Amino acid sequence: MGTSVLSLRMDHVLLERLRHHAAKRGMSVQDYVVRTLIRTDFDERFQSAVEETEKFYGLT
């Protein structure tokens, strides 16, 4: 699997908040953002799978 670059423009306040959250976890801002995106993506895929399963079994 290769990697790609994503460039973000954000205001100073948001960047400082991200730095603070990342530092509490001993992470870089980049690692913190990537892990947050991965976690969100997993949560969305998991919820979608649950909904599909409920539809399949007629639970909704």
Side-chain angles (χ1 to χ4, degrees), residues 23 26 40 52 57:
T40 300
E52 289 298 316
Y57 287 106

Side-chain angles (χ1 to χ4, degrees), residues 20-57:
H20 177 75
H21 289 295
K24 285 191 334 188
R25 292 159 180 78
M27 303 169 74
S28 69
V29 171
Q30 178 179 342
D31 288 342
Y32 177 78
V33 170
V34 168
R35 286 190 181 208
T36 300
L37 291 171
I38 290 169
R39 183 177 64 239
T40 300
D41 180 57
F42 172 79
D43 291 346
E44 289 175 4
R45 288 184 289 133
F46 180 76
Q47 183 60 40
S48 176
V50 168
E51 290 167 1
E52 289 298 316
T53 300
E54 289 174 343
K55 276 196 267 186
F56 180 78
Y57 287 106

